[in-house]
Amino acid sequence: MLTGRRGQLDVDYWTEDNTGAKYPKPGGILSSDNPKYGSTLGYFDAGYLKVRAITLGYNFDKLKAVKNFGISRLRLYATIQNPFVLFSPFNNESGLDPETNSWANENTAVAYGEYSGKHRMPIVGYNTPTTRNFLFGINVTF
């Protein structure tokens, strides 16, 4: 695999000295860039825990200084969306969000026959990855 080692990638391949490696020994029947059963390396444990949003806020309703400005309610808050993913081998390996975010034939010029229409196959990481958003806000009632 990785003929030429473009970018000098350090891949954890099996060797006689490295028997506990993550990936099998390169080579095989097909070629070093296309090992036999190489497609199985794309399968991961699908379990994960994703936190979608965390919001922290504080109400300043009881402060006398707030009441002096004619404000009946004042609340400051901060929210983070998609902060992290836990327990995901896929995320640990690739850094991508494991949540399905696209369909097999979206954004392509080729129809996939059996996966067209309502029978399309959901795909992970095929489209734009999920973004992490930070929101800061203030709610004021006079």
Side-chain angles (χ1 to χ4, degrees), residues 9 15 29-30 33 35 41-42 49 56 58 72 75 77 80 86 92 96 105 109 121 124 137 139:
L9 296 175
T15 64
I29 293 176
L30 298 176
D33 282 335
L41 296 175
L49 174 67
L56 297 172
Y58 188 79
S72 62
R75 181 173 188 262
Y77 65 92
I80 181 171
L86 300 170
N92 295 342
L96 296 174
N105 60 355
M121 179 188 303
V124 174
N139 293 339

Side-chain angles (χ1 to χ4, degrees), residues 27-142:
I29 293 176
L30 298 176
S31 77
S32 62
D33 282 335
N34 192 11
K36 187 175 183 182
Y37 310 118
S39 63
T40 60
L41 296 175
Y43 291 101
F44 289 87
D45 177 348
Y48 67 94
L49 174 67
K50 179 177 180 181
V51 176
R52 289 204 165 204
I54 297 173
T55 300
L56 297 172
Y58 188 79
N59 294 322
F60 293 92
D61 299 344
K62 306 287 189 228
L63 293 178
K64 189 174 183 177
V66 172
K67 301 286 185 193
N68 290 342
F69 283 107
I71 298 172
S72 62
R73 296 185 68 182
L74 175 65
R75 181 173 188 262
L76 296 174
Y77 65 92
T79 299
I80 181 171
Q81 296 173 332
N82 302 312
F84 48 85
V85 176
L86 300 170
F87 316 117
S88 170
F90 177 76
N91 179 266
N92 295 342
E93 177 77 19
S94 67
L96 296 174
D97 189 337
E99 186 173 9
T100 302
N101 61 2
S102 187
W103 297 97
N105 60 355
E106 261 182 12
N107 302 324
T108 62
V110 179
Y112 286 96
E114 67 210 60
Y115 296 120
S116 61
K118 65 180 182 176
H119 302 291
R120 297 181 298 173
M121 179 188 303
I123 301 217
V124 174
Y126 184 73
N127 206 345
T128 305
T130 306
T131 59
R132 184 172 296 134
N133 301 306
F134 298 90
L135 270 60
F136 300 97
I138 183 169
N139 293 339
V140 179
T141 304
F142 293 96

